[in-house]
């Protein structure tokens, strides 16, 4: 009877071992598929941002500059860019509020700066708007300037929201233990 | 001597925009350069001048190159063109006019593609003119300039080191005590001046050739191929 006890125990041990590995591999698969799903989302979202013209190849160049030494580089410059946007747009709004005594030189130089940084960050739509804006400044077209200012404001905020979504996806992937697709 | 062991280049980057400074700093670090960033031309001169102050006290007053004996030398200056106060062009002129710093290669960056501006900078002695946004591929063009400048400095250092009798002319031995003390200085002068002339001629030829190729390339977007098919010639 001791023998059969041992056999029974052995049998129980084997079965439970099987059950354990089966369930852990199920957990492993679930995690993997979550990561894969997030990565797919990330890739698709990134591609759509390029396709819809929000980003251009300069953004790709920025990603090349990110590495273990500078792991948050893209997020840092992007946030610097949006700070710039806020400041410059507020300066321009103030200048345009003067209605009759608009300092077009000031507006023009702010647009020039915004054009430069949007170009350097890969913010394609913002850059495009700045080109139009500059033309309105040069011809002192008040209505045109006001219109451009509104559009630039909408555009940078829209890009900011999208890039925030992208960074959030990145975070989720990293937290799930996955790698961010390049 | 020490500095000969350094293989890293040290670049002084000048730009009034914080964003652009951050970008150029990362680009240069990624290209394995040491970087110092400043936000104006005057700060750049200050930074260089600080080094120069150390040199003035050096016993070898014949030195024309500024940074042979300090720990950190500047191998290249890269500067934005459009800056309030001192523009990149002004800074370039000041550097090239100074006997101490004229051998430091200077690169100008600009967000605007203005051919007249570009040729003016190149004529004033800029090694390269980069259109912004500057990319990693652009920085690969800098290594040869920095290497050449560094080698030139090493040559000058070898000449300036007091000769241990190797260059002494035979007639000195016949002179009086006073003569022996004074003449070695004189004889040191000549070989060095000759060498400097040769180096300057080489530099002139090189920069002439470079200027030609720059000008030829100006009509096409010369800086780099654009993969999105859009060239930004204004």
């Amino acid at each position: 009877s001791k023998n059969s006890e041992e056999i029974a125990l052995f049998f129980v041990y084997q079965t439970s071992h099987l059950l354990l590995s089966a369930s852990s591999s199920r957990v492993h698969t679930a995690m993997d598929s979550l990561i894969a799903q997030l990565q797919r989302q990330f890739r698709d979202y990134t591609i759509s941002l390029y396709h819809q013209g929000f980003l251009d190849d300069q953004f790709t160049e920025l990603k090349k500059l990110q590495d273990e030494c500078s792991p948050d580089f893209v997020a840092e410059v992007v946030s610097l860019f949006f700070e710039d946007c806020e400041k410059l747009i507020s300066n321009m709004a103030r200048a345009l509020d003067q209605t009759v005594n608009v300092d077009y030189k000031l507006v023009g130089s702010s647009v020039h700066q915004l054009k430069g940084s949007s170009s350097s960050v890969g913010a394609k739509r913002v850059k495009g708007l700045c080109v139009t804006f500059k033309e309105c400044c040069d011809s002192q077209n008040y209505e045109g300037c006001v219109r451009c200012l509104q559009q630039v404001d909408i555009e940078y905020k829209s890009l900011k929201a999208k890039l925030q979504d992208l960074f959030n996806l990145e975070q989720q992937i990293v937290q799930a233990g996955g790698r961010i697709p390049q | 001597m020490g500095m000969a062991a350094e293989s890293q280049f040290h670049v002084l980057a000048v730009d009034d925009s914080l964003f652009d400074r951050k970008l150029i700093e990362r680009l240069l670090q990624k290209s394995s350069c040491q970087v110092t960033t400043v936000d104006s031309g005057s700060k750049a001169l200050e930074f260089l001048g600080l080094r120069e102050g150390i040199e003035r006290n050096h016993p070898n007053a014949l030195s024309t190159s500024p940074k042979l004996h300090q720990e950190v030398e500047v191998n290249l200056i890269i500067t934005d063109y459009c800056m309030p106060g001192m523009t990149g062009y002004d800074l370039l002129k000041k550097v090239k006019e100074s006997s101490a710093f004229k051998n430091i290669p200077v690169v100008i960056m600009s967000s605007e593609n203005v051919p007249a501006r570009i040729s003016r900078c190149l004529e004033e002695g800029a090694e390269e003119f980069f259109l912004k946004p500057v990319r990693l591929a652009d920085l690969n063009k800098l290594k040869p300039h920095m290497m050449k400048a560094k080698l030139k400095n090493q040559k000058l250092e070898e000449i300036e080191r007091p000769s241990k009798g190797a260059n002494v002319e035979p007639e000195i031995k016949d002179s009086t005590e006073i003569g022996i003390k004074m003449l070695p200085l004189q004889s040191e002068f000549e070989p060095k001046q000759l060498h400097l002339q040769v180096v300057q001629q080489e530099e002139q030829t090189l920069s002439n050739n470079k200027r030609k190729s720059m000008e030829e390339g100006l009509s096409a977007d010369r800086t780099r191929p654009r993969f999105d098919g859009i060239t930004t010639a204004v």
Side-chain angles (χ1 to χ4, degrees):
Chain A
S1 77
K2 190 145 191 247
N3 234 359
S4 54
E5 232 176 45
E6 279 174 7
I7 292 168
L9 273 169
F10 181 73
F11 181 71
V12 169
Y13 170 79
Q14 286 283 62
T15 315
S16 61
H17 182 78
L18 269 168
L19 276 170
L20 208 61
S21 56
S23 63
S24 74
S25 73
R26 263 205 297 279
V27 169
H28 190 64
T29 309
M31 208 48 168
D32 273 351
S33 74
L34 171 67
I35 292 173
Q37 200 182 346
L38 289 168
Q39 286 172 331
R40 223 176 307 125
Q41 257 185 289
F42 179 85
R43 245 186 250 113
D44 290 345
Y45 197 53
T46 307
I47 290 170
S48 79
L49 288 178
Y50 283 90
H51 271 185
Q52 291 172 50
F54 286 100
L55 299 173
D56 63 28
D57 60 347
Q58 176 59 20
F59 191 77
T60 318
E61 289 291 317
L62 289 185
K63 292 211 277 191
K64 286 186 197 169
L65 298 176
Q66 183 162 290
D67 56 24
E68 321 75 49
C69 303
S70 216
D72 302 313
F73 176 70
V74 179
E76 285 166 9
V77 291
V78 159
S79 118
L80 268 178
F81 167 66
F82 291 131
E83 277 172 33
D84 255 5
C85 284
E86 227 180 282
K87 185 187 73 184
L88 292 168
I89 286 171
S90 148
N91 289 349
M92 292 191 277
R94 223 185 351 260
L96 288 169
D97 271 348
Q98 305 305 311
T99 327
V100 202
N101 292 323
V102 175
D103 184 352
Y104 284 104
K105 263 188 92 179
L106 178 79
V107 182
S109 97
S110 297
V111 177
H112 176 79
Q113 280 182 64
L114 195 57
K115 179 168 168 244
S117 48
S118 60
S119 166
S120 296
V121 89
K124 190 172 177 180
R125 284 198 190 182
V126 178
K127 180 178 86 169
L129 286 172
C130 286
V131 174
T132 316
F133 201 161
K134 189 91 208 317
E135 285 163 14
C136 292
C137 274
D138 293 342
S139 50
Q140 303 204 354
N141 173 358
Y142 183 77
E143 302 295 341
C145 283
V146 171
R147 212 173 21 244
C148 286
L149 183 68
Q150 287 169 351
Q151 285 176 327
V152 163
D153 191 54
I154 292 169
E155 199 57 54
Y156 102 81
K157 284 173 176 162
S158 160
L159 179 63
K160 187 174 178 184
K162 290 185 190 295
L163 287 178
Q164 193 57 63
D165 286 344
L166 198 64
F167 291 139
N168 288 343
L169 264 175
E170 266 186 12
Q171 287 283 69
Q172 286 177 61
I173 295 172
V174 168
Q175 276 165 11
R179 284 176 158 206
I180 300 159
Q182 289 311 313
Chain B
M1 205 189 99
M3 57 75 79
E6 276 178 32
S7 52
Q8 252 205 338
F9 293 117
H10 179 216
V11 180
L12 178 62
V14 192
D15 203 314
D16 60 317
S17 151
L18 172 62
F19 179 90
D20 288 337
R21 277 200 304 281
K22 192 159 176 77
L23 190 55
I24 195 69
E25 181 185 56
R26 189 81 266 273
L27 280 163
L28 288 165
Q29 284 169 347
K30 194 81 181 166
S31 305
S32 311
C33 294
Q34 246 186 297
V35 196
T36 301
T37 58
V38 292
D39 64 6
S40 71
S42 44
K43 293 233 181 92
L45 292 175
E46 222 178 276
F47 181 80
L48 292 168
L50 214 58
R51 301 302 180 234
E52 157 90 326
I54 295 170
E55 254 60 60
R56 278 204 195 98
N57 298 324
H58 196 274
N60 188 355
L62 300 171
S63 169
T64 52
S65 47
K67 39 192 151 24
L68 302 178
H69 306 280
Q70 67 185 48
E71 312 147 34
V72 182
E73 61 180 84
V74 173
N75 302 116
L76 186 121
I77 299 169
I78 184 164
T79 178
D80 188 24
Y81 183 91
C82 273
M83 294 189 293
M86 194 186 294
T87 67
Y89 179 74
D90 299 329
L91 176 60
L92 165 68
K93 277 189 79 173
K94 288 210 148 55
V95 168
K96 292 302 167 186
E97 280 165 7
S98 104
S99 55
F101 309 128
K102 64 172 187 252
N103 292 324
I104 306 180
V106 181
V107 171
I108 311 275
M109 307 179 278
S110 177
S111 55
E112 292 169 312
N113 187 354
V114 181
R117 179 186 290 181
I118 297 173
S119 27
R120 192 160 26 112
C121 289
L122 294 175
E123 274 160 32
E124 197 58 45
E127 303 292 334
E128 299 276 355
F129 191 102
F130 291 154
L131 283 179
K132 286 181 172 178
V134 177
R135 294 182 171 184
L136 273 173
D138 296 322
L139 296 192
N140 290 335
K141 296 183 194 167
L142 299 183
K143 293 278 165 77
H145 298 303
M146 295 193 281
M147 201 68 236
K148 188 184 84 175
K150 203 161 182 135
L151 287 173
K152 202 200 292 188
N153 285 337
Q154 282 176 357
K155 277 188 207 159
L156 289 171
E157 190 189 45
E158 280 160 34
I159 292 161
E160 283 162 15
R161 223 176 286 132
S163 32
K164 305 287 183 189
N167 289 343
V168 173
E169 308 295 316
E171 51 263 37
I172 292 170
K173 290 179 187 157
D174 298 325
S175 306
T176 61
E177 182 94 44
I178 297 165
I180 288 169
K181 278 185 190 146
M182 299 219 16
L183 281 174
L185 271 173
Q186 299 260 341
S187 67
E188 253 182 30
F189 243 132
E190 279 150 33
K192 191 200 329 181
Q193 279 190 340
L194 194 66
H195 186 89
L196 273 174
Q197 274 171 21
V198 170
V199 167
Q200 275 163 15
Q201 273 164 16
E202 282 173 2
E203 190 189 39
Q204 194 56 37
T205 320
L206 272 166
S207 65
N208 278 339
N209 290 341
K210 194 188 11 286
R211 223 177 294 132
K212 278 188 204 142
S213 62
M214 288 289 181
E215 278 162 34
E216 273 157 19
L218 268 176
S219 46
D221 188 2
R222 55 166 283 283
T223 48
R224 59 192 167 276
R226 289 282 197 173
F227 297 111
D228 63 4
I230 301 167
T231 44
T232 50
V234 171

